Amino acid sequence: FCLSRKLEKQRKGKLQKQICQVVLEHFEQQYTAELGDAWSRVRDVLTSPWCWQHALLLNRFSPSPGLESSLAGQGFQPAFPAALPYLPAAFRCFSRPAPGRFPAQKHQPGRLKDYYLLNAASLLPVLALEVKDGEDVLDLCAAPGGKSVAILQCACPGHFHCNEYDDLRSRWLEQTIESFIPDPLINLIRISKLDGRQIGDLQPEFYDKVLVDAPCSNDRSWLFSADPQQALLRLMQRKELPSLQFQLLRSAVKALRPGGSLVYSTCTLSKAENSDVINLILSSCSNLMPVDISGMARGVSQEFTLLSGMQQHELLVLPERGRAWGPMYVAKLKKVSST
């Protein structure tokens, strides 16, 4: 016991040294103001990777006999209740309260992986999107591909466009799709490297559903920026992100058919990148209306800690010990008429 405590302290000390103080101080100032008392509990999780939790999204295209019973034996349980407004039967995700990472599967060309490791909160945007078979779907900022894979666990779109502008991340996206999706279905998926801000003009009113999992100041990863200079640069660029996010959203609105819906998500707590961006797009586009996702929020409230006081069309998952999921912001909008 003493030895394990000593090893744990050493591991914590090692991780603690990796925290970028410049970023932490910036977050401390911003999130104390925005989250109040909740920030101290969130900070405790964000700065403690040894308490982070991981979930497994099972791949319906690669059934693995015995995997579910093996997971049950290790304390894993279904991650989402059947009471959710949208939860396709083929969508199966498992999690457990205990921290720790399940072994990852390596990419092997020609062989599909059995599961995808992820933060369970990152599946909420996909569940909010409610994709149905045959719909035309755009994942505007798709890399590394987890949400694209999750969409395909829910339904088979008529046309599925996965876009990623960054060249390196685009290759990562392609590998993810190849690892989880069988060839016949891959042939129905279009992977592109377009500037997401232009897709709305290139393909106006083409899609039934659009996911905008926007580039953001990823709170978890930014706290562990190894290079202080890189961290300072990121914090300077942070001020420019809401403008980019708004432009991506505006493009997504143009790409939507009337009656279509979009989901906007980030993995940051920042109000400037979340609610403020959504409020701006709603005030800028008279043909947009918010969609109530409070039913989904209620359905997951036992497993996720949600920030109180959010509007009905949005939610924000706050990481807390024992429920270390998030941060994840989700908002849903509907296009009611042509632009």
Side-chain angles (χ1 to χ4, degrees):
F1 174 76
C2 291
L3 181 60
S4 64
R5 286 287 297 273
K6 185 177 179 181
L7 288 171
E8 186 177 336
K9 278 188 174 182
Q10 288 176 350
R11 188 171 79 249
K12 287 183 178 181
K14 186 176 180 182
L15 287 165
Q16 192 68 32
K17 289 176 186 174
Q18 296 174 0
I19 293 172
C20 182
Q21 290 301 316
V22 173
V23 176
L24 181 58
E25 288 167 11
H26 180 88
F27 284 1
E28 195 81 56
Q29 183 176 3
Q30 179 179 352
Y31 294 147
T32 298
E34 292 182 7
L35 302 176
D37 294 339
W39 166 239
S40 62
R41 299 190 298 274
V42 173
R43 179 188 57 207
D44 185 38
V45 171
L46 291 182
T47 57
S48 309
W50 56 89
C51 76
W52 294 359
Q53 295 163 258
H54 297 85
L56 284 81
L57 176 65
L58 302 195
N59 185 9
R60 67 172 170 143
F61 304 110
S62 178
S64 178
L67 177 57
E68 288 191 34
S69 58
S70 173
L71 290 172
Q74 298 176 62
F76 284 86
Q77 295 180 331
F80 295 96
L84 286 183
Y86 173 83
L87 192 71
F91 183 90
R92 306 211 328 270
C93 181
F94 290 80
S95 66
R96 62 182 176 187
R101 190 178 180 91
F102 200 77
Q105 292 182 308
K106 292 183 178 179
H107 173 71
Q108 297 181 44
R111 181 175 178 180
L112 298 181
K113 293 184 179 182
D114 301 323
Y115 55 83
Y116 191 98
L117 289 174
L118 75 179
N119 183 320
S122 68
L123 294 171
L124 295 179
V126 173
L127 295 177
L129 195 61
E130 300 188 38
V131 175
K132 297 177 176 63
D133 288 347
E135 290 183 322
D136 296 323
V137 181
L138 168 64
D139 189 350
L140 193 68
C141 313
K147 292 180 179 65
S148 297
V149 166
I151 286 170
L152 291 165
Q153 303 305 313
C154 295
C156 287
H159 176 86
F160 192 23
H161 183 179
C162 301
N163 181 71
E164 177 54 51
Y165 183 54
D166 181 84
D167 190 57
L168 183 62
R169 288 173 60 82
S170 181
R171 290 199 296 273
W172 190 2
L173 168 65
E174 289 177 358
Q175 187 178 95
T176 300
I177 296 293
E178 184 184 321
S179 291
F180 286 91
I181 310 304
D183 285 340
L185 195 53
I186 283 183
N187 295 334
L188 302 176
I189 301 170
R190 177 190 176 197
I191 298 178
S192 66
K193 293 190 285 187
L194 300 168
D195 184 334
R197 294 169 292 186
Q198 299 173 358
I199 288 180
D201 290 324
L202 294 171
Q203 296 182 293
E205 300 192 344
F206 186 84
Y207 299 98
D208 300 298
K209 303 282 173 67
V210 179
L211 174 62
V212 184
D213 186 44
C216 67
S217 46
N218 184 324
D219 294 348
R220 283 193 185 224
S221 67
W222 280 29
L223 269 171
F224 293 87
S225 303
D227 182 358
Q229 294 300 318
Q230 179 194 51
L232 285 170
L233 180 61
R234 278 178 166 175
L235 291 176
M236 289 172 60
Q237 293 172 336
R238 194 177 205 212
K239 298 172 185 175
E240 301 166 11
L241 281 169
S243 174
L244 170 62
Q245 292 156 347
F246 173 76
Q247 291 173 62
L248 289 168
L249 264 179
R250 190 166 55 185
S251 175
V253 173
K254 290 179 180 178
L256 264 183
R257 291 178 179 137
S261 56
L262 71 86
V263 168
Y264 173 79
S265 61
T266 74
C267 50
T268 180
L269 300 161
S270 175
K271 182 174 175 289
E273 298 177 49
N274 295 338
S275 297
D276 289 356
V277 173
I278 291 298
N279 290 338
L280 181 59
I281 197 73
L282 282 170
S283 64
S284 303
C285 299
S286 58
N287 59 342
L288 270 188
M289 62 178 290
V291 177
D292 187 351
I293 57 170
S294 59
M296 186 181 80
R298 285 192 299 272
V300 302
S301 60
Q302 296 301 310
E303 297 172 283
F304 298 91
T305 300
L306 304 178
L307 180 66
S308 61
M310 302 295 283
Q311 298 186 76
Q312 289 186 325
H313 61 274
E314 60 180 355
L315 62 82
L316 178 61
V317 179
L318 302 178
E320 290 195 344
R321 281 188 180 267
R323 298 197 289 184
W325 312 114
M328 180 57 57
Y329 175 81
V330 183
K332 186 171 184 178
L333 309 173
K334 182 177 181 178
K335 186 173 182 176
V336 294
S337 63
S338 293
T339 305

